[in-house]
Amino acid sequence: MNWRAVGAIIRKDIKVVLRSKAVLLPIILVPLFIQVILPAALGLGVNLIPQSSSEMEDLAQMMSAMPPGLQEQLGSLDEKQLFLTLMLVYVFAPFFLIVPLMVSSVIAADSFAGEKERKTLEALLHSAITNQELLAGKLLAAWLPAIAVSLASFLLYGVIANAVGWPILGQIFFPTTMWFVLVLWVAPAVSGLGLGVTVLISSRVKTFQEAYQLGGIIVVPIVALVIGQAAGVLYLSSGFTFALGLIAWLIDAALLWLGIRTFQRERLLAQL
Amino acid sequence: MATTDIVIATRHFTRRFGDLVAVNNLTLEVFRGEIFGLLGHNGAGKTTTIRLLNGVLAANSGSARVLGFDPSKDGTALRRRTGVLTENPSLDDRLTARENLLFYADINNVPRGKAPRRIEELLVDFELLERADEQAGGYSKGMKQRLALARALLHEPELLFLDEPTTGLDPVASLYVRQLITHLSKHKGRTVLLCTHNLVEAQRLCDRVAVLEHGQLLAVGTPADLGHRFGKVHKLAVELEHEQVPQALEILKQEQGITVEAEDKVLHIIGAVRERIPALIQLLTNAHIRIYRVTPQEPSLEDVYFALHGEGENSL
């Protein structure tokens, strides 16, 4: 493996992404909204507005659907503390996964389908780079920034969550063990998932926009997680989160295998 | 020609895409240091031939050796020693000229210590230095083509594949690219395989040409050689006394199988085969027409091309 060539692809793809507003804006705005604005607004709301009795009834109903272990763990909290903890620790956790998923998808769409659209791929296919080096460079060019943005938004989220939680909880309550599993184990796997799906989609479409829009389908499992938690069907315990990560890694491996098989010069040329 | 001087050798090279035979039974040799032209209409198989020879596509049958490598097996090693100018410049518009070249220096493993100086040299040679740090998206077509050519030369390849290098360029930029190709071949010893449908360009640049149609090789040779073999239209320019031009026209109009056009004091006789020239001149001298100059005009590559394709100029 010629790592110099792989590194060149990574640097080039990231540089090209940073120079495109269409690609850069979602990478900045989505984490900003999910990890900063939304939790800050929620925290401020809990601090400033008194809870109505109907909301408290909803909360009690949601709490009664949670596993006994969690009920016991959160049993000592008053209503506001309980609401804030449930929202910022559990309900927001699946939302966090949108960040690595979206970042890897948008960069992969630009790197694979976008390169076809811009007609920049042919010269690269005529160079001495191997198929494996080209694929490795392009995958890492999308995966590494997704990890970096996820870590940065996690750190920001931690600061915001503790800042808005401090007046109500009086302690640093975030991150929990589950969040460490989520950030260090699940998020990299989920970004691999976004990447793999977008690469497969990119091989069948001609433009960045098509790949990006079709890639949006991958957000469906995350929406299912959000609904599942809200309905009390499941909750993200450390064990469940770990298992979730394991499934994502296994799907990643399958997608990578498929990617290696389909990422061939001849096929790529045929799509130009 | 010694075997070591053969840079490209193909034998019955064939590539199909479904029912379409893009390259059909191609057998040819290209020698070290020559500019070899592949001529043909769009869809004649020129670009596919380059892709096959550079190991980007695999042939369905036949064999090839390029710089001693089998392109279908040793594509990566081969591509380290070839440079390609694709029909589309294939540059990243969001990168500057310098960044485009730096990227390909890494891809092609140009030694790190050598790369910046080499890039600077190319930017100077291709007159891009002043705008080297501007994004390529803002460049004119000619500048993009020059940058793409600089990229193809970055790792000092022995063999260059140039696919329609002057398409879309203005006359000044075209001349510049043609001069550069000649320089690379004649002074730097590079072998150039040039795809074009610009026959004038091929005649000016190429040592030898191959004419392709529907992936099949119709003829190969030097432009002059092909002219003698396949040039159907023979032209003759005869310079006369100005006031004798109408009389000469009258005499020659009686002759079958030729067309005569007058231009000032020169008669252009079209369709006169070589063997007929003395008799035609004798007709004029017998009528006491004073002849100052007789210039046979060799068939051009264009004549050959249309003769081989069974078409007339007018059919365009």
Side-chain angles (χ1 to χ4, degrees):
Chain A
M1 186 77 87
N2 176 1
W3 287 104
R4 187 179 167 199
V6 175
I9 301 261
I10 297 171
R11 283 193 301 277
K12 190 270 282 181
D13 276 7
I14 292 175
K15 202 177 279 181
V16 163
V17 161
L18 292 175
R19 289 178 186 169
S20 164
K21 280 181 193 155
V23 186
L24 195 58
L25 278 178
I27 294 175
I28 295 171
L29 293 181
V30 173
L32 197 69
F33 182 73
I34 292 176
Q35 301 295 105
V36 178
I37 295 171
L38 218 55
L42 179 95
L44 288 174
V46 173
N47 275 294
L48 299 175
I49 305 163
Q51 254 68 56
S52 68
S53 59
S54 67
E55 282 165 348
M56 289 306 117
E57 275 173 26
D58 290 345
L59 193 61
Q61 198 179 347
M62 189 177 165
M63 196 60 204
S64 65
M66 293 289 174
L70 183 66
Q71 288 188 33
E72 195 180 322
Q73 192 187 325
L74 303 178
S76 58
L77 301 178
D78 68 26
E79 286 163 346
K80 273 194 171 186
Q81 288 172 334
L82 180 63
F83 179 74
L84 204 67
T85 307
L86 273 177
M87 291 304 286
L88 293 181
V89 176
Y90 294 98
V91 174
F92 269 68
F95 283 123
F96 166 76
L97 293 178
I98 291 174
V99 175
L101 195 69
M102 183 276 307
V103 175
S104 66
S105 299
V106 76
I107 298 178
D110 186 67
S111 174
F112 288 86
E115 188 128 43
K116 268 197 280 181
E117 189 179 358
R118 298 191 295 273
K119 300 186 190 304
T120 51
L121 197 57
E122 192 175 1
L124 207 47
L125 298 178
H126 272 290
S127 74
I129 197 163
T130 63
N131 294 345
Q132 290 79 8
E133 287 159 0
L134 186 55
L135 180 64
K138 290 203 159 287
L139 290 178
L140 288 171
W143 193 70
L144 294 175
I147 303 297
V149 173
S150 302
L151 284 174
S153 65
F154 164 67
L155 291 175
L156 264 176
Y157 182 74
V159 171
I160 301 282
N162 284 310
V164 296
W166 184 266
I168 293 168
L169 290 153
Q171 61 173 341
I172 302 285
F173 72 104
F174 186 90
T176 61
T177 311
M178 180 274 285
W179 267 87
F180 279 117
V181 178
L182 194 75
V183 173
L184 301 176
W185 171 249
V186 185
V190 162
S191 65
L193 215 59
L195 189 53
V197 170
T198 310
V199 170
L200 288 182
I201 289 170
S202 297
S203 68
R204 285 161 180 80
V205 299
K206 286 197 183 309
T207 66
F208 160 73
Q209 281 300 341
E210 278 179 276
Y212 180 45
Q213 282 162 10
L214 284 171
I217 199 164
I218 193 68
V219 89
V220 169
I222 289 178
V223 174
L225 272 182
V226 174
I227 295 170
Q229 275 210 136
V233 177
L234 54 90
Y235 96 103
L236 290 176
S237 64
S238 301
F240 180 80
T241 308
F242 183 83
L244 210 62
L246 192 64
I247 293 166
W249 280 116
L250 289 173
I251 299 171
D252 284 353
L255 289 173
L256 184 65
W257 177 79
L258 207 61
I260 291 169
R261 279 173 60 91
T262 53
F263 197 80
Q264 301 295 330
R265 270 183 159 77
E266 290 222 19
R267 282 187 190 218
L268 294 168
L269 262 182
Q271 293 161 11
L272 294 180
Chain B
M1 191 71 66
T3 318
T4 49
D5 287 336
I6 297 172
V7 173
I8 299 172
T10 68
R11 296 279 175 274
H12 310 296
F13 218 33
T14 300
R15 170 71 201 203
R16 291 180 202 89
F17 295 104
D19 292 334
L20 176 80
V21 187
V23 174
N24 191 357
N25 214 20
L26 184 68
T27 297
L28 57 80
E29 287 177 342
V30 177
F31 304 111
R32 191 171 302 282
E34 77 174 336
I35 303 176
F36 188 91
L38 278 184
L39 298 181
H41 295 304
N42 289 335
K46 307 184 298 288
T47 301
T48 306
T49 302
I50 287 188
R51 289 173 175 178
L52 289 168
L53 293 175
N54 204 32
V56 179
L57 280 179
N60 295 112
S61 59
S63 64
R65 302 297 289 180
V66 180
L67 294 167
F69 296 102
D70 178 345
S72 61
K73 290 182 185 147
D74 314 310
T76 304
L78 168 64
R79 287 190 293 273
R80 284 195 193 105
R81 292 168 59 182
T82 63
V84 180
L85 175 73
T86 51
E87 194 175 351
N88 182 298
S90 203
L91 295 163
D92 215 309
D93 283 352
R94 294 185 216 153
L95 296 182
T96 66
R98 199 186 299 277
E99 287 168 343
N100 266 296
L101 293 177
L102 261 172
F103 171 60
Y104 275 91
D106 286 335
I107 294 291
N108 290 314
N109 246 341
V110 177
R112 283 180 205 274
K114 209 179 148 194
R117 205 186 56 204
R118 175 81 184 128
I119 289 168
E120 208 68 14
E121 275 171 15
L122 287 165
L123 290 169
V124 171
D125 286 353
F126 286 86
E127 297 175 12
L128 292 165
L129 191 62
E130 271 183 31
R131 297 180 62 186
D133 296 310
E134 286 177 31
Q135 290 186 16
Y139 281 12
S140 67
K141 172 103 176 134
M143 288 175 77
K144 283 185 179 178
Q145 197 75 342
R146 295 206 306 262
L147 179 56
L149 208 46
R151 180 188 58 198
L153 294 169
L154 186 61
H155 53 301
E156 304 189 67
E158 294 163 57
L159 171 62
L160 274 167
F161 294 109
L162 307 178
D163 197 352
E164 308 284 358
T166 59
T167 300
L169 297 186
D170 62 50
V172 176
S174 296
L175 178 68
Y176 181 85
V177 170
R178 280 200 296 272
Q179 285 171 341
L180 185 88
I181 294 167
T182 308
H183 174 77
L184 287 168
S185 165
K186 306 306 167 209
H187 300 104
K188 302 253 177 178
R190 306 276 156 77
T191 308
V192 179
L193 190 138
L194 173 87
C195 285
T196 184
H197 48 225
N198 183 335
L199 303 172
V200 177
E201 178 175 280
Q203 184 136 25
R204 282 180 190 166
L205 275 176
C206 298
D207 299 309
R208 289 191 307 136
V209 293
V211 184
L212 294 178
E213 187 183 49
H214 303 307
Q216 240 175 339
L217 183 66
L218 296 184
V220 63
T222 64
D225 174 36
L226 291 182
H228 288 306
R229 280 159 58 197
F230 300 103
K232 275 183 184 168
V233 182
H234 295 258
K235 292 177 188 168
L236 193 66
V238 185
E239 189 184 332
L240 317 165
E241 195 69 54
H242 191 263
E243 54 271 24
Q244 291 184 308
V245 168
Q247 187 193 348
L249 262 174
E250 205 54 45
I251 293 166
L252 292 174
K253 272 183 182 169
Q254 313 297 320
E255 292 297 306
Q256 301 283 315
I258 58 167
T259 311
V260 188
E261 289 166 2
E263 186 187 356
D264 194 18
K265 57 185 178 181
V266 177
L267 287 184
H268 293 282
I269 306 172
I270 302 158
V273 293
R274 189 179 170 81
E275 292 73 24
R276 238 182 123 182
I277 294 173
L280 291 171
I281 299 302
Q282 197 167 10
L283 274 174
L284 298 175
T285 51
N286 287 349
H288 305 290
I289 291 170
R290 285 186 293 281
I291 296 171
Y292 297 109
R293 191 161 54 95
V294 177
T295 317
Q297 291 170 337
E298 292 297 326
S300 68
L301 203 47
E302 198 170 6
D303 299 326
V304 172
Y305 185 83
F306 289 119
L308 282 167
H309 283 82
E311 294 169 13
E313 230 170 311
N314 294 336
S315 67
L316 289 175

